[in-house]
Amino acid sequence: MDDESGDRLIYLAGGPLAAVVIGIALIPVRDFTTASNFTFVFMALTILVAELGGRPAAVATALCSALSLDFFLTRPYMRLSIEDKHDVIAFVGLTVCGLIAAAVGSQRGERVAALRASRAELGLVASGLEQLEKGVPADLGLKRVLDAARGVLPIAAAVVRDPRGNLLAATERAQGMPVPTRSLEPDALAGHRATELGRQPLPQDGARVPLVAGGHQVGWLDLWGTRKPASPQARRTLAGVVQLLAVILVRADPRPSGGAFRP
């Protein structure tokens, strides 16, 4: 389980629990005002959970908030029934507005998460370009790009090989893994198929991507995907990584035929 999924599960459990705790905490003041005045507290909680925990957590929080308002703060107390029509309106209003806030707030949270992912992916490409500018030795540059890609993209492991199949660089746990038999088409990364594939994960059993520069193949990228979906943006970023790796190989050995690798 990745950190993001773990955080969402925490909010999925913590949001409804917080709604119950708020209902209990407001019991001492429930006779001083109408139940409708308590709805703002639950709405604020729902919006916060939607922002931090996503849609499922926000919907669960909105529903539990409505039940908490009914059970703890409307007459008859400690029962899931309502005797005052104004409290019924407050209950229904909180439920509807809470669900709306959950939907809208979670969409904003998803957009923010997507923006963070895009920035991380752009940073990955920028880091690779920096390796080229600094003239870092090719073996070290390849290793750094692979490690950075594994940290940002849904990749479990990756290996760079020369055209003859010799190992040049590998991420942690990648050495010793068998050469994948499947090839990953360029269109599955930067072409129209990247969009058609939606958010399908990269092949977990491995795939080979040719590293091509100047119309000549200079190596192979073998990669193994995780269970995490690979968005079209992530696939396009991977296509950029493939081009960076090819350029690093060409700078190490500029011969078009892709001869022996010289760091």
Side-chain angles (χ1 to χ4, degrees):
M1 180 185 298
D2 55 27
D3 293 338
E4 183 179 351
S5 298
D7 291 342
R8 288 182 179 271
L9 287 178
I10 291 174
Y11 286 108
L12 183 60
L17 178 60
V20 174
V21 171
I22 289 175
I24 296 173
L26 292 175
I27 288 178
V29 297
R30 64 188 178 186
D31 291 324
F32 292 94
T33 185
T34 61
S36 60
N37 291 328
F38 298 124
T39 60
F40 300 104
V41 180
F42 292 108
M43 281 293 299
L45 173 65
T46 301
I47 294 172
L48 179 63
V49 172
E51 177 71 19
L52 300 176
R55 183 173 301 171
V59 171
T61 302
L63 295 177
C64 286
S65 295
L67 293 175
S68 181
L69 175 73
D70 180 14
F71 190 77
F72 296 111
L73 304 174
T74 61
R75 297 178 185 274
Y77 300 132
M78 305 302 176
R79 293 176 58 187
L80 292 176
S81 59
I82 303 174
E83 65 181 23
D84 191 310
K85 67 177 182 179
H86 297 291
D87 290 340
V88 173
I89 295 174
F91 172 80
V92 174
L94 175 60
T95 304
V96 174
C97 292
L99 293 175
I100 294 174
V104 175
S106 63
Q107 288 176 0
R108 181 179 182 275
E110 291 168 359
R111 289 194 296 270
V112 171
L115 179 59
R116 290 198 192 102
S118 296
R119 287 178 175 174
E121 292 163 3
L122 289 174
L124 166 60
V125 176
S127 175
L129 292 173
E130 185 178 359
Q131 305 298 319
L132 292 172
E133 290 179 358
K134 291 183 177 180
V136 174
D139 53 349
L140 181 58
L142 292 172
K143 180 70 165 58
R144 287 179 177 177
V145 172
L146 289 180
D147 288 339
R150 182 172 177 267
V152 173
L153 300 173
I155 296 174
V159 169
V160 173
R161 303 180 189 274
D162 66 16
R164 298 185 179 90
N166 299 314
L167 179 67
L168 302 180
T171 62
E172 184 182 359
R173 302 176 183 175
Q175 296 192 34
M177 298 185 70
V179 176
T181 58
R182 180 189 308 188
S183 296
L184 199 60
E185 301 175 5
D187 279 352
L189 297 180
H192 65 279
R193 289 199 64 226
T195 302
E196 293 177 358
L197 290 171
R199 298 181 61 84
Q200 294 182 22
L202 295 170
Q204 297 181 46
D205 56 349
R208 307 204 82 187
V209 183
L211 301 178
V212 179
H216 300 276
Q217 183 174 347
V218 294
W220 290 98
L221 171 63
D222 298 342
L223 58 87
W224 292 263
T226 65
R227 296 181 179 179
K228 188 176 180 180
S231 66
Q233 176 62 36
R235 291 174 181 270
R236 286 190 287 269
T237 302
L238 179 56
V241 170
V242 168
Q243 293 176 357
L244 278 173
L245 294 172
V247 171
I248 293 175
L249 288 175
V250 168
R251 291 191 62 172
D253 185 2
R255 289 177 297 174
S257 60
F261 176 78
R262 298 197 305 269

